[in-house]
Amino acid sequence: MEVRSEGIQVRCDKLQGSVIPKTRLRIWFIRVCSSIVLWTCLVQLVTVSELWHSHLISGITSGIYNIAQIQLPKQHDYDGVQLPPPSFLPPRNYTSNGFLRVSCNGGLNQMRAAICDMVTIARFLNLTLVVPELDKTSFWADPSNFQDIFDVKHFIDSLRDQVRIVKRVPKRFSSKYGYSTLEMPPVSWSNEKYYLEQILPLFGKHKVLHFNKTDTRLANNGLPLDLQKLRCRVNYQAIKFTPQIEKLGHKLIRMLHEKGPFVALHLRYEMDMLAFSGCTQGCTDKEAEDLKRMRYAFPWWREKEIVSEERRSQGLCPLTPEEVALVLRALGFGRETQIYIAAGEIYGGERRLAQLREAFPLIVKKEMLLERDDLQQFQNHSSQMAALDFMVSVASNTFIPTYDGNMAKLVEGHRRYSGFRKTILLNRTKLVELVDMHQNGTLKWNEFADGVKQVHEKRIVQPTRRRVIIDRPKEEEYFYANPHECLCEETNCDDLLGHYNNSSQVA
């Protein structure tokens, strides 16, 4: 009996020895599978959660980053110096009254000003702003989206304490769920009362409004100080170009400064401006006819029949390259002056630049300074190319625009904000009169030069208050050319602006 029981015991021990390892293996396998399932669910939950809060991410890769806690490389500036990561204020907590979509129209700088205005309107009305859409149908036909020109993450994060900005309207506010988007252009030059009384009530019925035009839709003057300062904050701090544009722009600036001081000449003698304004001074008959055909080809350029000579005498034409050569010499710029032409293709090409280049041999353009590979990524993207010219113009020792378009105005404002860097605003009405008198022999060179200097004694930008013209907002001084409310920290800026204040208020 004892032998049998021992035999049974031995067999039992062997059986248990074979069962236990298999059981442990099964338990281990189940735990591994459970862990995989749980981690998969966690990843999916975080991803879905972030998609619901689209202003916190920039795609699925951001969700992966948050889970894995990957250490990103530290920021560097474009000279290789390590910069601390930007710090942003906590998000503003508010109940949104709806979503504001905006389609900006015009060129780069017109759209830039509109973006500043739309952020300000969204903040004032407690709206959620959708990242603005950029114009792709204008003369330039640039296919760039917002994120192709501007640093969209910086734009969203740097304004999060003021307004909530998202990349798209959530699907739950689509027509599928009974919502409709109201399309409309707001009234030009409107103040905050218009938006509060006329626009805000529309969000009660339409949770999404789409402003399909945004140029000059906010008044220059009469707005509360906090709104004016927010416009400046957006323009000078929140709107940054993409790292690619900034890197190449800084490279251009560095190359120019290494050769000494330089003048940025915004020579607006380009085909679109000449066609729009009807100015044909110095053009051949064929060139003038081509410009006229272009003017008729764009239905929104409403003025068709234009007398060039009359327009020029009124100071409404950009100066020609030949006129600019005379004016710069009269202002005292010598042959050794380094001049950067901030413009696209000059109408008439090198033929029209010959006189200017003869007077100033050190003329350069971005295409001359940079390698073809540097500019390859920006080809056929006029707004991205214009961004490079904008950066160089802001950083130049002297800025001289030959026409007071949107770029000239915004660069002027940036240079005021940066400590009133030297900007010369040419008086085209007086200049064409002086140029014609000199060329027909009425004025000798010395008399011409004295006349040009005298006309511009007070046209080198100084601190002034914006000129206000009651009931004529189009003729007022543009806010973004002279944001005087943003040029000092105090509410009362008389110490800065009072002594130089030569602006007038016309009733």
Side-chain angles (χ1 to χ4, degrees), residues 191-472:
N191 61 20
E192 82 282 8
K193 292 182 181 179
Y194 163 79
Y195 287 99
L196 186 63
E197 297 172 3
Q198 302 295 322
I199 298 300
L200 184 58
L202 298 175
F203 284 94
K205 181 179 180 182
H206 306 273
K207 282 298 180 183
V208 183
L209 255 67
H210 179 203
F211 288 169
N212 47 28
K213 284 189 178 180
T214 57
D215 59 320
T216 62
R217 304 293 151 162
L218 194 57
N220 287 315
N221 300 293
L223 297 178
L225 183 62
D226 61 330
L227 295 186
Q228 297 288 53
K229 286 187 175 287
L230 179 55
R231 293 168 95 176
C232 291
R233 177 177 166 187
V234 181
N235 195 20
Y236 305 125
Q237 299 175 31
I239 294 182
K240 285 179 60 177
F241 295 122
T242 63
Q244 294 85 354
I245 293 175
E246 294 252 331
K247 182 178 181 179
L248 198 56
H250 283 293
K251 180 178 179 179
L252 270 172
I253 294 166
R254 189 164 56 248
M255 294 171 73
L256 288 161
H257 277 312
E258 284 173 354
K259 297 178 181 178
F262 70 96
V263 173
L265 178 67
H266 184 41
L267 189 59
R268 195 67 170 93
Y269 201 78
E270 299 155 304
M271 191 175 188
D272 66 298
M273 175 50 64
L274 299 178
F276 173 75
S277 61
C279 300
T280 59
Q281 179 75 8
C283 296
T284 65
D285 291 341
K286 182 183 183 305
E287 288 172 338
E289 189 60 32
D290 289 343
L291 293 174
K292 186 174 182 178
R293 276 198 297 270
M294 176 181 285
R295 188 161 67 250
Y296 273 86
F298 288 87
W300 51 90
W301 292 355
R302 296 179 182 178
E303 195 173 1
K304 302 301 181 184
E305 296 300 327
I306 299 174
V307 179
S308 177
E309 294 79 10
E310 182 179 307
R311 184 66 61 93
R312 177 173 174 267
S313 66
Q314 296 169 345
L316 299 176
C317 290
L319 294 181
T320 69
E322 296 86 358
E323 291 167 342
V324 171
L326 291 171
V327 170
L328 292 183
R329 285 179 55 208
L331 287 172
F333 293 98
R335 288 177 59 82
E336 74 286 352
T337 304
Q338 183 183 196
I339 296 178
Y340 176 88
I341 295 183
E345 185 177 351
I346 302 304
Y347 194 56
E350 284 300 315
R351 175 181 67 84
R352 296 306 302 272
L353 284 173
Q355 188 173 322
L356 182 60
R357 196 178 293 281
E358 182 182 355
F360 300 96
L362 300 182
I363 283 181
V364 294
K365 300 178 68 177
K366 52 185 172 294
E367 293 83 358
M368 297 171 59
L369 294 172
L370 298 172
E371 299 293 334
R372 181 178 295 180
D373 290 345
D374 289 332
L375 288 173
Q376 185 65 39
Q377 60 184 317
F378 303 116
Q379 293 298 327
N380 302 318
H381 294 84
S382 58
S383 291
Q384 295 181 46
M385 296 285 265
L388 296 173
D389 286 338
F390 182 90
M391 288 184 65
V392 175
S393 297
V394 170
S396 63
N397 298 90
T398 304
F399 174 63
I400 304 177
T402 63
Y403 190 79
D404 55 353
N406 287 295
M407 176 168 168
K409 292 173 181 175
L410 265 78
V411 171
E412 177 191 343
H414 267 71
R415 292 174 68 82
R416 286 177 182 270
Y417 190 81
S418 302
F420 295 95
R421 295 176 178 173
K422 188 175 182 180
T423 302
I424 302 176
L425 304 177
L426 300 179
N427 185 330
R428 294 186 303 278
T429 306
K430 292 289 186 181
L431 283 176
V432 297
E433 181 182 338
L434 291 170
V435 166
D436 289 346
M437 292 173 67
H438 172 62
Q439 291 184 330
N440 66 24
T442 306
L443 278 182
K444 296 180 180 179
W445 174 257
N446 289 342
E447 295 171 324
F448 170 74
D450 289 342
V452 170
K453 289 174 184 173
Q454 185 177 355
V455 166
H456 293 91
E457 280 180 351
K458 296 184 178 180
R459 294 185 67 86
I460 297 176
V461 168
Q462 298 286 354
T464 61
R465 291 191 182 277
R466 250 186 342 273
R467 186 176 68 256
V468 179
I469 305 177
I470 304 300
D471 298 328
R472 284 190 283 167

Side-chain angles (χ1 to χ4, degrees), residues 9-80:
Q9 183 65 41
V10 168
R11 286 196 297 272
C12 288
D13 289 344
K14 289 182 178 179
L15 182 62
Q16 287 179 356
S18 64
V19 170
I20 290 173
K22 291 181 180 179
T23 302
R24 288 177 179 172
L25 181 63
R26 187 179 295 110
I27 293 172
W28 176 83
F29 180 77
I30 291 171
R31 286 177 177 176
V32 169
C33 291
S34 300
S35 298
I36 293 172
V37 171
L38 286 172
W39 273 106
T40 302
C41 292
L42 178 61
V43 170
Q44 293 295 325
L45 284 171
V46 172
T47 303
V48 170
S49 173
E50 290 187 342
L51 286 171
W52 274 98
H53 298 83
S54 58
H55 63 287
L56 296 179
I57 67 161
S58 57
I60 299 299
T61 53
S62 175
I64 296 173
Y65 160 74
N66 287 329
I67 296 166
Q69 293 184 340
I70 297 172
Q71 183 65 43
L72 297 178
K74 294 182 179 179
Q75 286 193 326
H76 293 74
D77 74 1
Y78 300 112
D79 292 317

